[in-house]
Amino acid sequence: MLPTRLPDLHPLDGPLDGPLDGPLQAIADLPRARALRDPSGAAVVDGDRRLDNTGLAAAVAELGDAFAAAGVGPGDTVAVMLPNRLEIVVAMFAAWSRGAALTPVNPALTDAEVGHQLDDSGAVLLVADDRGHEVARGRAVAVVHVDDLRGTSGAAPSTTPTVDPGAPALVVYTSGTTGRPKGCVLTHANVDAMVRAIVTHLRLDAADRSLLVLPLFHCNGLLVGVLAPLLAGGSVVVAPRFRPADFWDLVEAERPTYFSAVPTMYALIDAHTERAVDTSSLRFVVCGAAPMPADLIGRFEERFDVVLVEGYGLSECSVAATINPLDERRKPGTVGLPLPGIDVAIASADGEHLPAGERGEVLVRGATVMAGYLHRPEETAATVVDGWLHTGDVGYLDADGFLVLVDRVKDMVIRGGENIYPKEIEDVLYEHPAVLEAAVVGRPDPTYGEVPVAHVALRPGASATPDELRAHCAAVLARFKVPADVQLHAALPKNSVGKLLKPALRG
């Protein structure tokens, strides 16, 4: 296992009292730079394992040496397939120290799906547990077993890694909800721009401590949960598998100042909390990955006395494009303002940019937009046009420039010529006190062509009938928007990031 601490390095200017500003290479060089400035400062916590800055730098150096011995060099790709644990963070920095990119693999994937990612990414080495050896069998992929990362008495490297801004840093595979997963190539310039924008917008500093509850095979966990606080001079707590029943125990024990989660997680935390909790360490919390009902935002903020800022983005723009501000301008129910250096526009079907208040496809432009989909030039060209990333999401900008999401373009239901956005119905369902999760999809209909159908999971101990939920919708929505059917489920299907899987409901 990795050490809890290794011998000190020579400090430069004392403790971290601010972000590690500087050239682009500062992101890839964070472990070494932090060890030089504050050798014994907290870096990463994972259960009872606590790496200070020296320990993190030495662990990165050790694994980087192992990568070098395996022949990993500039232009290569290293894969890591592990549940959330600090070795993923170490592997990321170690790959960068060798000039290689990292592709994080979701361990919940089947062997065939893992094999596709290894083959498609061209990974030359895999960091994994016992399963990794079996999946890599027959492929030209070396394997480093996580249990062999023992740590040495060696120090961190004394030289800064050379970073090419245009070289791949991460190859993050999409969830595959709209087809076979594609590798989004995020360069070092993309990562640098994204992380610095998050630090600036959320006002992160050395006092901040992130509680990482999202998976590290996704760029939200890696960039918002790990790199942003480390760049700001703060620290990271890697949470074990998300468990709403004892979530607050971890918050009270580790005293984070923020965490980022998805709407389903917030709903589950709210539903499973049965005691008074201490949230005084939290400066704010972030919600992303899917729109969060305004009712749930207000309920969570009031109950737990914490500011919740909703954001929006996707892997193709290095995770975030907009986030609500932390000050009085915050608008719950919107997904906020564009991050520094990022432009957001709304376009009609023919590509014309629309004025405030008009609905259309959300476009994103800036230094955070991916280099492209790996090995897929045609799909890249169709997705990034003249520098604008076409997201496939429908929304509008209000008079103050805040983005309001309406729905996915492909999720729209057309009933007898009337356009119905499922999110509008879902928001109404979430206002019912018995509803925990809601998803609305279209179902073929011989008369109207398509009708909306609601799939609902109820809160623990709550009860409601389909007729009651339809009546609840009918009291608020136009008749043609009322679900033709409401189906109750114990839980709705979700992907590994916690996003609801509507294709599985269309069946």
Side-chain angles (χ1 to χ4, degrees):
M1 305 301 292
L2 290 171
T4 56
R5 194 172 189 279
L6 290 176
D8 288 346
L9 300 180
H10 298 292
L12 290 181
D13 300 319
L16 290 168
D17 54 5
L20 288 166
D21 296 321
L24 177 73
Q25 63 193 18
I27 301 290
D29 195 34
L30 272 174
R32 188 191 71 91
R34 287 172 59 97
L36 289 171
R37 288 183 58 177
D38 184 16
S40 60
V44 184
V45 173
D46 182 356
D48 59 357
R49 300 184 299 163
R50 296 174 181 264
L51 287 183
D52 61 13
N53 290 323
T54 299
L56 175 61
V60 169
E62 176 209 6
L63 189 53
D65 288 343
F67 287 174
V72 175
D76 286 334
T77 299
V78 170
V80 59
M81 181 177 66
L82 295 168
N84 271 18
R85 52 189 295 174
L86 64 84
E87 284 84 359
I88 300 176
V89 178
V90 173
M92 175 175 65
F93 285 116
W96 291 350
S97 75
R98 297 295 306 153
L102 183 83
T103 186
V105 183
N106 177 3
L109 297 179
T110 65
D111 287 358
E113 291 168 326
V114 173
H116 164 71
Q117 184 168 339
L118 294 177
D119 295 342
D120 189 67
S121 67
V124 298
L125 185 143
L126 171 66
V127 179
D129 52 22
D130 291 340
R131 182 181 171 216
H133 288 271
E134 295 302 318
V135 178
R137 193 183 303 276
R139 291 183 166 88
V141 181
V143 179
V144 172
H145 197 289
V146 66
D147 289 344
D148 292 335
L149 304 181
R150 300 291 180 184
T152 69
S153 60
S158 59
T159 58
T160 300
T162 300
V163 173
D164 176 0
L170 297 170
V171 183
V172 179
Y173 279 73
T174 61
S175 60
T177 57
T178 57
R180 195 166 194 184
K182 304 182 289 288
C184 300
V185 179
L186 304 180
T187 66
H188 283 278
N190 292 150
V191 170
D192 183 87
M194 184 76 270
V195 174
R196 293 181 189 278
I198 292 168
V199 169
T200 299
H201 188 83
L202 296 180
R203 306 174 190 169
L204 301 182
D205 61 28
D208 278 302
R209 187 175 180 87
S210 162
L211 175 60
L212 179 70
V213 296
L214 291 174
L216 280 169
F217 55 77
H218 190 271
C219 49
N220 191 322
L222 290 172
L223 276 63
V224 180
V226 174
L227 291 178
L230 290 183
L231 180 66
S235 58
V236 180
V237 177
V238 180
R241 183 177 179 85
F242 173 71
R243 294 187 295 268
D246 57 10
F247 175 78
W248 293 116
D249 295 339
L250 187 59
V251 170
E252 291 168 342
E254 295 295 349
R255 309 289 296 168
T257 61
Y258 79 97
F259 63 83
S260 180
V262 300
T264 298
M265 288 178 170
Y266 285 105
L268 290 171
I269 292 169
D270 180 42
H272 287 86
T273 301
E274 300 178 349
R275 64 174 178 87
V277 297
D278 179 5
T279 63
S280 60
S281 70
L282 292 171
R283 193 159 63 84
F284 62 89
V285 296
V286 183
C287 182
M292 187 168 177
D295 179 66
L296 177 57
I297 294 175
R299 185 167 70 246
F300 195 94
E301 288 188 323
E302 181 177 359
R303 182 178 182 189
F304 299 112
D305 191 27
V306 63
V307 171
L308 192 157
V309 292
E310 193 175 9
Y312 163 76
L314 51 166
S315 298
E316 286 85 345
C317 66
S318 305
V319 79
T322 66
I323 301 179
N324 257 288
L326 295 174
D327 57 30
E328 66 280 354
R329 295 175 298 156
R330 181 170 55 100
K331 291 186 179 182
T334 78
V335 290
L337 295 166
L339 290 169
I342 297 174
D343 296 321
V344 173
I346 306 298
S348 63
D350 60 8
E352 179 186 358
H353 287 201
L354 300 173
E358 293 197 26
R359 296 180 175 185
E361 184 180 11
V362 179
L363 308 184
V364 177
R365 181 177 66 179
T368 62
V369 173
M370 66 174 180
Y373 293 120
L374 189 65
H375 310 313
R376 296 172 184 251
E378 293 182 0
E379 290 186 53
T380 299
T383 303
V384 183
V385 181
D386 295 329
W388 288 97
L389 171 67
H390 288 244
T391 67
D393 291 313
V394 178
Y396 64 90
L397 294 170
D398 71 9
D400 298 317
F402 284 71
L403 177 63
V404 180
L405 291 181
V406 177
D407 224 316
R408 290 285 298 171
V409 171
K410 294 180 180 179
D411 285 345
M412 185 173 67
V413 177
I414 304 177
R415 178 191 182 276
E418 296 278 5
N419 292 344
I420 300 173
Y421 291 102
K423 183 177 180 294
E424 184 178 5
I425 304 173
E426 291 162 3
D427 285 347
V428 172
L429 286 167
Y430 275 116
E431 292 173 358
H432 192 286
V435 173
L436 176 66
E437 298 175 328
V440 174
V441 298
R443 182 178 71 190
D445 183 85
T447 302
Y448 296 103
E450 197 174 25
V451 294
V453 173
H455 296 263
V456 172
L458 300 179
R459 297 169 66 85
S463 63
T465 66
D467 286 344
E468 180 184 345
L469 294 175
R470 290 188 74 251
H472 172 74
C473 292
V476 179
L477 299 170
R479 184 176 178 181
F480 71 89
K481 297 179 184 179
V482 175
D485 186 20
V486 174
Q487 299 181 16
L488 300 180
H489 304 260
L492 299 187
K494 292 174 278 291
N495 66 13
S496 50
V497 184
K499 187 182 298 185
L500 292 175
L501 288 174
K502 288 191 174 182
L505 297 172
R506 294 190 180 101

